Amino acid sequence: MGENSFSRELRLLTPAHFENVFNKAIPAVSPQITLLAKQNNCSHPRLGITISKKRVKKAHDRNRLKRIIRESYRLNQNMLPKADIVVVGKSGLGDLTNPELFTLLSKLWKKLSRRCEQSQSG
């Protein structure tokens, strides 16, 4: 795999990792998805994804969304801040097509990067 893989070190794995991000996170919000970030001590960003059954009913839809989110993260990880990032799916997320979700995530990654830079400098 290349440098753009999605290895175990790039993931948030435990509930404690997720809880840490939910406390005092920097948000990037859209109607269908929310990105939350908190600075970490690693040399790279880490990703966690949470899409509840209440928001997206069918498992194959949740899996499709998670695959697209991971792929978008993988392609954009070089520009992301060194932070733990949690992607929270909201109602209406399952209605997006793959290209629409990819475009939305690209905008949110950029917004999140800007906000993390501002919080570091400010």
Side-chain angles (χ1 to χ4, degrees):
M1 298 258 225
E3 67 179 54
N4 282 340
S5 65
F6 188 61
S7 63
R8 195 167 170 84
E9 300 89 53
L10 300 178
R11 299 182 210 155
L12 297 179
L13 298 170
T14 66
H17 290 156
F18 280 82
E19 277 301 315
N20 182 35
V21 176
F22 287 128
N23 297 332
K24 298 182 181 176
I26 299 167
V29 182
S30 81
Q32 298 88 359
I33 205 164
T34 298
L35 302 183
L36 300 170
K38 187 171 185 183
Q39 297 297 325
N40 67 22
N41 297 328
C42 302
S43 61
H44 50 77
R46 296 189 303 173
L47 179 71
I49 303 170
T50 173
I51 302 173
S52 74
K53 201 185 289 188
K54 182 178 178 182
R55 302 289 176 219
V56 181
K57 300 281 187 242
K58 296 184 178 166
H60 65 86
D61 286 332
R62 288 192 304 277
N63 292 338
R64 172 184 67 90
L65 295 166
K66 288 179 182 181
R67 274 196 307 275
I68 293 167
I69 292 166
R70 283 193 297 266
E71 181 66 7
S72 176
Y73 166 80
R74 189 182 70 77
L75 294 173
N76 289 289
Q77 70 187 18
N78 295 332
M79 67 161 221
L80 293 173
K82 291 168 182 32
D84 290 343
I85 301 168
V86 174
V87 178
V88 181
K90 299 199 275 193
S91 297
L93 180 60
D95 300 333
L96 294 177
T97 64
N98 294 1
E100 288 171 340
L101 180 56
F102 230 88
T103 304
L104 176 62
L105 284 167
S106 293
K107 289 178 187 172
L108 290 174
W109 296 131
K110 288 178 182 127
K111 184 192 275 188
L112 191 66
S113 294
R114 270 196 316 273
R115 289 189 174 174
C116 286
E117 285 173 21
Q118 288 171 354
S119 76
Q120 279 182 335
S121 62

